[in-house]
Amino acid sequence: MKECEVLLSGERVDSAQLEQLLEARKAGECDFLLVDVREPFEYEAGHIPGVDLLRPTSRFQEWAKPLVEEYADRVLILTCRTANRTGQVQRTLQKLGHPRVIDHSGGILSWRGEIEGGAYGGD
């Protein structure tokens, strides 16, 4: 089993593992969505390069079920500031039926790689 598959089969990844996964994704070796669950002002102040979706926890009730339905076939890695919010969101998304949700343990405070700033340019 490739290292990417091993990391994506667990419940948590730390920042070093997430960095490995992002590099592997760039190389086309694995597939997942990185979902930041912080608020827009937090995201704009600094975020991990490679975030695919910004889904603020304050609006969780609006996006949780549609996210599970739309991305049921994709591995989701959740990140926030300290991993407090992601742990809660992870458990709820699993209860809603998403089969593969991974918590970025330590959150962005434990991230040692590059940080980007700026407004979210996604959906």
Side-chain angles (χ1 to χ4, degrees):
M1 190 182 277
K2 287 194 254 180
E3 186 166 356
C4 181
E5 293 172 14
V6 171
L7 293 174
L8 292 177
S9 68
E11 291 282 317
R12 286 174 188 70
V13 293
D14 63 25
S15 287
Q17 293 167 327
L18 179 57
E19 198 164 4
Q20 283 179 272
L21 286 168
L22 287 165
E23 287 299 318
R25 185 173 75 171
K26 275 186 199 172
E29 298 169 6
C30 66
D31 183 43
F32 61 90
L33 290 174
L34 181 57
V35 182
D36 194 322
V37 300
R38 296 175 304 147
E39 298 305 311
F41 74 91
E42 293 175 289
Y43 180 90
E44 291 167 9
H47 57 271
I48 296 169
V51 168
D52 298 295
L53 301 170
L54 175 62
R55 295 293 184 265
T57 308
S58 64
R59 295 177 40 215
F60 182 73
Q61 295 301 322
E62 296 172 28
W63 60 258
K65 192 166 176 133
L67 182 82
V68 169
E69 292 167 359
E70 185 173 354
Y71 298 108
D73 61 335
R74 305 280 301 274
V75 174
L76 305 177
I77 299 178
L78 306 175
T79 190
C80 68
R81 183 173 174 267
T82 63
N84 183 40
R85 287 173 274 189
T86 54
Q88 295 170 13
V89 171
Q90 177 188 37
R91 288 185 293 279
T92 304
L93 293 179
Q94 289 169 333
K95 286 179 187 174
L96 289 173
H98 197 288
R100 293 292 331 128
V101 184
I102 299 171
D103 184 7
H104 169 213
S105 60
I108 197 167
L109 287 183
S110 69
W111 182 254
R112 297 295 172 243
E114 180 184 343
I115 297 287
E116 292 180 338
Y120 179 64
D123 56 349

